[in-house]
Amino acid sequence: MAAPPVIRQLDLELRNIRKRYGSFTAVDDVSLKVEPGQFVCLLGPSGCGKTTTLRCVAGLEEPDQGGILIGGREVTGDPPWKRDIAMMFQDFALFPHMSVARQVGFGLEMLKKPKAEIAKRVAEVLASFEITQLAERRPGQLSGGQKQRVALARAMITEPRILLLDEPIGALDYSLRETVMLELKSLQRRTGISFIWVTHDQNEAFSLGDLVVVMNHAKIEQQGPPQDILSRPRTPFVAGFIQGNNVFHGKAGRAQGGVLEVETPLGAFGVPLLDLATPAPGSPLSFSVRAERLIERPDESVPNRIALRCITVEYFGAFRRHVLEGAGGAVVKYDQFGALPQSIREGEQITLGWAAENGVLHRATPA
Ligand SMILES: Nc1ncnc2c1ncn2[C@@H]1O[C@H](COP(=O)(O)OP(=O)(O)OP(=O)(O)O)[C@@H](O)[C@H]1O
């Protein structure tokens, strides 16, 4: 007889969560499914509702509408300690008068575990986070990086199903961040605990997340693997928020062979429709083209072409960014691999173009 199918419960499911503060809606109709052991990054500008969403998952806020399931179990209305989660805050929220060893064991103390078991687990966790030598110190005697480890050890000791992290490396020096990011990613992979990581830093979100959830004005604008968000932004907000996109606004023209003509102040361009319905002629819309997808001095075979003047050339580590101006002052960015010889000078007039397949038509509304 065939083995019964294994049903893997989602670690977390948010079903149409809404949270209002008075008349202000901080989280609006947010739905999310987190697979077991997923690294999820909630990404968006300040005030978009990331922290409030996380606090709803933690049980620190109660949503006005919608449901929260953790490990397939409805937890909406349950207090934080009944949710199989742990949380780590940007300021680490360490208890100032408590020794490192005591704080790390605090979660187990709350769960009323026997003293001997707590001592054994604390010793193990301190060793695994390489902070045994700090056991008797107080938070005031720790560096930023050490506080971070202590906060993490404290969160992980109860082996939660989900770890919620609110800007967990935001308080660290830049020099430390990359190392800590790598450590946290490998910790997440090793333990198989789902991480929900709030950040406004897209580099963090794209380098860490299996799933990136982009929020704006209390709503999810797009969610998907980093590659999808980078290559196929679905809304003008996502395209504009993610570095390196040129966003063009215009009106729908004719569609032919799956390519829509879009009329913009810079000219008419062909953009693939892919799975989108053909918009009514004249309806307003937008599309984007990544700055590294532009081609210099394209020949006649390239249908989308713009005459521009180069305003500035800037270096961003591995690439060189050209900022160019077109008709009516529209700004276009063109990125070139930094190791290539510079081919466009400031002040130069130049034609840039792109293959039609590199244009990404946006959906009019968030989805
Ligand atoms: N307790 C509260 N009372 C009233 N408004 C609140 C409260 N908490 C949050 N808000 C508002 O809800 C909105 C979303 O806040 P939230 O902290 O979730 O945003 P965020 O995306 O995490 O921002 P940041 O990156 O700045 O932390 C903000 O406009 C904020 O001012």
Side-chain angles (χ1 to χ4, degrees), residues 166-187:
D166 194 355
E167 305 258 2
I169 58 171
L172 298 181
D173 284 352
Y174 268 101
S175 56
L176 259 183
R177 286 191 192 179
E178 204 157 315
T179 322
V180 173
M181 258 167 60
L182 284 174
E183 279 182 13
L184 288 174
K185 176 93 181 183
S186 85
L187 177 74

Side-chain angles (χ1 to χ4, degrees), residues 30-47:
V30 163
S31 292
L32 178 66
K33 288 182 177 171
V34 178
E35 300 286 341
Q38 243 187 343
F39 202 127
V40 179
C41 289
L42 301 185
L43 172 68
S46 184

Side-chain angles (χ1 to χ4, degrees), residues 38-57:
Q38 243 187 343
F39 202 127
V40 179
C41 289
L42 301 185
L43 172 68
S46 184
C48 71
K50 309 180 293 291
T51 296
T52 307
T53 303
L54 203 71
R55 289 173 63 82
C56 287
V57 176

Side-chain angles (χ1 to χ4, degrees), residues 50 77 86 117 128 160 181 195 206 224 271 281-282 285 290 299 313 330 339 353:
K50 309 180 293 291
E117 185 189 328
S128 78
M181 258 167 60
F195 277 26
F206 288 129
V271 189
L285 46 74
R290 291 207 54 82
D299 63 33
V313 181

Side-chain angles (χ1 to χ4, degrees), residues 140-152:
Q141 300 165 307
L142 302 173
S143 71
Q146 289 168 336
K147 282 185 193 156
Q148 215 256 357
R149 275 165 189 264
V150 172
L152 194 61

